[in-house]
Amino acid sequence: RARARCAGRRDGAERMVRRVMIAVAAALVVLGARGAAAAALQEPVVADCSGGDGEAGAVTLTVKKGTVTVAGAVEYDARVYEYEGEIMVPGPTIVMQAGTRCEVTIVNELEDVAANSECPMHENDFHCPDVTNLHTHGLHVSPDEDNIDTHVSPGESLTYTYNLPVDHLPGTHWYHAHHHGSTALQVSGGMLGMLQVVAAEAPDGEALPLAMPADLAALYADDDNVHDLVLMHMNFAGQGDGTPPFGAMLDMPGISAAYGGGTQSVPLNAELADADVDDFYVVNGQLSPSVDIAPNSVSLLRLVNGGGTRSLFLELDDDGACELRLIARDGVFQYLDDNDAYPAVSRIVMVPGTRADVALLCGSAAAGTTIDVNAAHVTDTMLGSENVFGPQTAVLRLPPPPPAA
């Protein structure tokens, strides 16, 4: 995988986790009975867009109608990304490299229907449901390259060219559809994905400016133990929940209906597995996926809150068995001092669109246990209060140590 370009070896550390699980479950959904088998976490496909030797990297995302299935929760039709012949929700993790050029082409294969004809492209209300574009968060590039005033109508395509400076810091970012008039419709349906920047390759005998410490570079380079986790809020529950500042935000059926049923190329057609479970979160398009982790090892979780309707707190219910350290927020690394002491945190605050890179270490006392990961959505705009609605739990499964030889 492309991020393995960041080479190195972590001094004094055990081999890191084999598999990691974190899931934000549905409101009123318990993630299955303790010990029950859960679906294995599926990480997004990696789309390498790092160029080199004067050539640009290239990724093509095709926008089309697709049926999204979240096992155990819902099936619905939506506008989605297709990459290399496969429909993906979320879209692939696009990897770019500092000092190179990346070209992302959006091909719109949606049906051109009445709602898209003579579109008022720049009105900020519900219109043009099948017109799209591409917007990134976190890239230090020209606004002419990341231009939300562009539009890609059905039957059209557009290539976005990103020239990353050689001193662009590595980091975790994201991308999504952002045509004003169809943003909420397309993003809530799944038109989003993680974006990662890796450091430029240093010329022989030279050091890069602001290079990662060797141990941190090794942590990011361990593909088996670095996990990309895109959180999506799926709300089929009706007209908002009163949570500021988005208390009046429509749910997915409401947004879809705002365009008029007769003009839709992609009616939502949502079918819930349980009518009482209509407001929930998924991780990488899955409801409560599960992965085992090993005690006495370090894992790196790259988190994206891929939505615009709720801020979240994530915290462990583990009686101190595990430790969280904040490595980076929105691509900004939290170096505290020369001793590489990254701040210990008791919870991760995830406002809409934010990213967090978090190191997780669970001690030997946790072996053979399960650990809850609790989520709460924030109920005021200053992050001062919270509301846990239903058992919002996830499970870190720590297998027992192997028997003594």
Side-chain angles (χ1 to χ4, degrees), residues 63-125:
V63 181
K64 62 197 312 177
K65 175 182 177 180
T67 299
V68 180
T69 301
V70 180
V74 68
E75 183 173 279
Y76 63 92
D77 293 332
R79 297 149 186 85
V80 294
Y81 289 129
E82 180 186 78
Y83 174 66
E84 295 188 341
E86 182 179 353
I87 288 174
M88 300 178 180
V89 174
T93 295
I94 298 177
V95 178
M96 303 181 185
Q97 185 172 25
T100 69
R101 186 170 76 255
C102 167
E103 296 178 349
V104 180
T105 299
I106 300 296
V107 179
N108 189 340
E109 292 188 355
L110 294 170
E111 182 183 356
D112 195 3
V113 296
N116 302 310
S117 62
E118 299 181 2
C119 245
M121 292 298 179
H122 299 293
E123 289 186 7
N124 200 22
D125 56 18

Side-chain angles (χ1 to χ4, degrees), residues 235 238-251 308-310 378 381:
N235 178 15
Q239 296 269 341
D241 60 3
T243 304
F246 301 105
M249 177 67 74
L250 294 172
D251 66 351
T309 57
R310 283 205 182 120
V378 180
T381 56

